[in-house]
Amino acid sequence: MPIWKTPVSVEILNRLGADTAISTLGIEFTEVGDDFLRARLPVDARTRQPYGLLHGGVSVVLAETLGSCGAAYSCTPGSRAVGLDINANHLRAATAGWVTGTARPVHIGRTTQVWQIEIADEAGELVCVSRITMAILAPR
């Protein structure tokens, strides 16, 4: 059974990211499942740090994008989802190609949500694991 309380699709999410940090970094939503979102990010000149590795902060941008969108579309219509805390463990370097992030809820409550995001390289090896806590604010 889908967790989404507002209609969501790859097309909607990619339009939402137009002319933002999301599109600037090349993040592309690729899949919406019943209880997950997936997006990919190129490892290129926009996203590498000076030593040629995927920048850890960029991994966090991907994670926060996925977790925030997941929270926004799974809360009561009219409510707002805002980030409270995010952490990331960088497990393996990525130097080229694409990484793909998958976000799944750990907890969907009335006032808070927690999302787990796993980011993997093209070989399926984990590059980063992240967890974001979101506050759900009542409609104004």
Side-chain angles (χ1 to χ4, degrees):
M1 181 170 181
I3 62 171
W4 314 118
K5 297 214 166 89
T6 304
V8 62
S9 68
V10 169
E11 295 77 21
I12 289 169
L13 292 168
N14 283 323
R15 275 196 309 270
L16 181 70
D19 298 321
T20 68
I22 295 167
S23 62
T24 299
L25 292 173
I27 294 171
E28 301 171 359
F29 285 90
T30 59
E31 190 174 358
V32 175
D34 284 348
D35 67 347
F36 71 91
L37 296 177
R38 187 168 286 137
R40 67 186 195 151
L41 168 83
V43 181
D44 62 17
R46 294 171 290 179
T47 60
R48 285 189 203 104
Q49 41 96 312
Y51 302 105
L53 309 175
L54 175 62
H55 194 293
V58 173
S59 294
V60 175
V61 171
L62 176 59
E64 185 156 0
T65 298
L66 283 161
S68 293
C69 287
Y73 284 90
S74 63
C75 66
T76 304
S79 295
R80 293 168 293 134
V82 296
L84 286 178
D85 181 64
I86 190 165
N87 68 59
N89 295 104
H90 306 289
L91 307 174
R92 167 180 266 99
T95 58
W98 292 83
V99 293
T100 298
T102 303
R104 288 190 163 81
V106 174
H107 166 74
I108 297 179
R110 186 177 50 80
T111 59
T112 62
Q113 293 188 15
V114 178
W115 287 74
Q116 174 88 13
I117 302 93
E118 295 186 349
I119 301 172
D121 62 18
E122 291 176 311
E125 298 286 340
L126 278 179
V127 171
C128 177
V129 292
S130 181
R131 188 170 277 200
I132 188 168
T133 302
M134 303 293 296
I136 307 303
L137 305 178
R140 290 184 180 179

